[in-house]
Amino acid sequence: MRDDLGAGACAMISVLVVEDEEITAEANRIYVDRVPGFEVAGVARTGGEALRFLRGRTVDLVLLDLYLPDMHGLEVCRAIRAGGLMCDVIAVTSARDLAMVRSAVSLGISQYLLKPFTYATLFEKLTRYARFKEEAGVAVGQSDVDRVLGTLRGGSELPKGMRRDTLDTVAAKLRASPEGMAAQAVADAIGVSRVTARRYLEYLVELGLAARIPQYGGVGRPELLYRIPMES
């Protein structure tokens, strides 16, 4: 189910998911389809299949796993560039090799996603890419160039004082508790204050990634639980 955050009047951004592991490929397909303004054009399980798809159909973005059974993802990217295929690439890998990151950047890979990643992380990458597409145009001056590149490659745009690793940890705790968790339970589980935990939980709700669930039981106000839908 697509998140109801509003995609605006812009054309849909088409995405090719390239991933050899069936379960991961399906998860990535579901993740991408949930982000407003994005649609999955296809899923490829090998580098060769991805290149054949791209030669026959134009897409805006490739979500490219770097470790494929027939060739490395960087080879796929080289073939994309050599063939003049007009699409952007987000690399997906479990490798923490900075040399590989530099190689990816040199081939024009716009963003880099480290496995395992959460839906929240992919959501941020894709919405950043969507803003980049909207802002791209004729640059009047250096400030315009810096602004557009900053939109795509800049740091996290989390609210001030919030950390990406803490947000991912909170989301992981909720995902592991399908019945839902109260703010105090999350705080105890990750070692932060209840106020801090509630701030992160409310931010997940704001993104549409979690829901508030009143838990009725004893006397007084119901306890508020937070839950992430199972498909997240």
Side-chain angles (χ1 to χ4, degrees), residues 56-107:
R57 179 172 176 178
T58 300
V59 302
D60 298 296
L61 181 66
V62 179
L63 192 62
L64 176 64
D65 183 66
L66 293 187
Y67 289 104
L68 299 169
D70 57 339
M71 65 178 73
H72 196 279
L74 293 183
E75 294 180 56
V76 176
C77 196
R78 289 190 187 95
I80 289 174
R81 301 310 178 211
L85 302 174
M86 301 302 293
C87 59
D88 295 309
V89 177
I90 294 179
V92 179
T93 182
S94 58
R96 265 68 173 174
D97 185 350
L98 290 180
M100 185 179 295
V101 174
R102 286 193 292 270
S103 296
V105 172
S106 70
L107 288 170

Side-chain angles (χ1 to χ4, degrees), residues 25-39:
E26 177 63 9
N28 290 350
R29 183 194 66 77
I30 292 172
Y31 278 4
V32 172
D33 262 342
R34 283 190 58 196
V35 180
F38 288 80
E39 61 181 358

Side-chain angles (χ1 to χ4, degrees), residues 36-58:
F38 288 80
E39 61 181 358
V40 175
V43 177
R45 304 288 294 280
T46 68
E49 185 180 344
L51 291 172
R52 288 191 294 273
F53 185 97
L54 292 171
R55 292 182 186 118
R57 179 172 176 178
T58 300

